[in-house]
Amino acid sequence: MPERTDLADLITDHGAVIEMINSGEAGLPVLTALLRAARPALGAACVAFVEFAPTGGRVIAASGCAEWTIGRPLPASDPATVCLLTGPRVRQTRLDHLDGPLAGELAERGLRRMIVARAELNGLTVGSLHALYADDEESEDRVQHATLGYLASCIAHMYGDQSGLPVHGDGPVVAALADGLAVVDRDGRVRLWNPAAAQVTGRSAGEAMNRPLPFPLPPAGQVLDHQLPDGRWLRITSGELVGPGTLRVVTFRDITDQQRRDSDRDLFVAVTSHELRTPVTVIKGYADTLTDHWESLTDHDRRQAARVIGQRANELARLVDRLLTSATDVRPGDEPAVPFDLGGALRAAVLDLPADLRRRLLLHVPVDLPKALGDRHSLTTVLTELCTNAGKWSPADAAIEVFAAADGQTVSFRVTDRGVGIRPEHVERAFDRFWQGESGDRRGYPGAGLGLYLVRRIVEQQNGWVSLRPRDGGGTVAEVRLPRG
């Protein structure tokens, strides 16, 4: 090693690197040229650069006797990572003080110590620059350390320019920015907190450093999904950092949207399987009865079995239609909004209701009701869903009333029942997909939780709106308003 760092040679060679950049070169060729210029100036046997992402690092460039390491992964649990995540930005260590496999292989090739400098971009570590030496004598050369730190800053600047770097990332340091990254000590206190961690948790580095993690720490190598007090979900992983001190590297990301999608999927499967099972079981039972006992059944029994099969098949068809409608954004009817006779549409829709609902329904339509603007055909679906919902939550012999009315801007109708009613805090949640009321035994109130969700979608696609409210004296009022035609 020279007695001092050869700054003159470094400046000369660095000038050639800058010329490469000015001529349009970028990425690995420039980085490799910079390492080749650095090695003799630093008096190192070899120089290597490790690019880091939250899951670990990888050697992407090297010069001298370390070129064989190019492409070599450096897991987050490797002891050499301690040099990157802890301590001063530039530090020196003996390779025999590190227990990782890569350190052992370097030692076998006659290398004894290294100086390492972190390449940081806006406080985020994007990589580390390593100068390796064959001698045992630790260097006290401040210029040498400062030079390595300067070169690491130059490399970080290259990452900031997004000129062919990162090599193993997706976009400008996305691999490093995507996840929150923390290092905690044996007491569980934070020693490193990257900008992404602050963004994910809303807790700045100043608020996090030297304090316990604001969420549970899973065992090393395991994954934990944790819900924060504000309702968001984090997916947390951790790994041991073996070396001086007992440290853990922790990565975490916001998976709230994924958690919601998974929850919706699970709920969809549970609800649909439950709703499909009953009519399918009934249809199969009556079909088997007809097949196995046709000769012994009376004409009345056969007709009754056929009627039940038809009713249950209609229920299945309606459920499938609701599921398909809830999964598409197509406007009902594919027709533009036009003026139509709301009173006539309601009277026609009543005829399509199941017989048990028709018997309970009382329709009140004023003779001078003005026309509404919207899609007449969709009124059948809207009225069916609202009346079915009213019938489900009220006694079997209780009346269901439909009142039509108008004001200066809208034409409306409301469906009222005398059932269990709706809590004020549920009048909006009831329109959520798959949401079901909590009153009584749910097995006594079947449904997929799609009816009101579809009603709101259909009505709002016609520039109208729908609302729920408790009825004075008990029960629920569902009101639909459409623009006047």
Side-chain angles (χ1 to χ4, degrees), residues 242-289:
V242 182
T246 302
L247 299 172
R248 275 195 187 178
V249 59
V250 186
T251 61
F252 47 95
R253 65 176 56 185
D254 191 323
I255 60 165
T256 304
D257 290 342
Q258 177 185 338
Q259 194 79 14
R260 186 178 295 114
R261 288 192 297 269
D262 291 346
S263 178
D264 284 349
R265 181 198 62 207
D266 293 343
L267 185 57
F268 175 85
V269 172
V271 168
T272 53
S273 62
H274 170 74
E275 292 301 309
L276 290 169
R277 186 178 297 114
T278 298
V280 168
T281 301
V282 172
I283 289 172
K284 184 178 185 303
Y286 275 92
D288 289 344
T289 299

Side-chain angles (χ1 to χ4, degrees), residues 84-231:
L84 174 64
L85 299 178
T86 63
R89 180 171 169 267
V90 181
R91 63 178 298 180
Q92 183 172 226
T93 185
R94 291 174 57 93
L95 292 176
D96 57 6
H97 289 173
L98 301 174
D99 298 327
L102 181 56
E105 293 175 43
L106 292 170
E108 290 176 0
R109 292 172 181 257
L111 299 171
R112 297 289 178 264
R113 64 182 177 90
M114 70 176 175
I115 305 173
V116 58
R118 290 194 297 271
E120 297 180 342
L121 179 63
N122 296 325
L124 179 67
T125 298
V126 296
S128 57
L129 180 60
H130 303 254
L132 296 106
Y133 299 88
D135 60 86
D136 292 324
E137 182 181 353
E138 292 190 3
S139 171
E140 299 295 332
D141 187 347
R142 293 176 58 190
V143 176
Q144 188 181 53
H145 285 222
T147 301
L148 195 70
Y150 164 76
L151 293 173
S153 296
C154 291
I155 295 172
H157 184 72
M158 293 169 60
Y159 274 83
D161 288 343
Q162 304 172 28
S163 302
L165 296 172
V167 173
H168 296 284
D170 182 13
V173 206
V174 169
L177 288 172
D179 290 357
L181 179 66
V183 172
V184 297
D185 60 21
R186 69 177 65 193
D187 297 320
R189 294 185 176 274
V190 175
R191 298 304 181 193
L192 181 143
W193 191 257
N194 77 341
Q199 184 176 7
V200 170
T201 63
R203 182 172 297 199
S204 68
E207 295 170 321
M209 293 295 289
N210 300 315
R211 292 181 173 87
L213 280 172
F215 45 75
L217 179 64
Q222 296 189 20
V223 179
L224 172 67
D225 290 348
H226 173 72
Q227 189 173 24
L228 298 173
D230 63 4

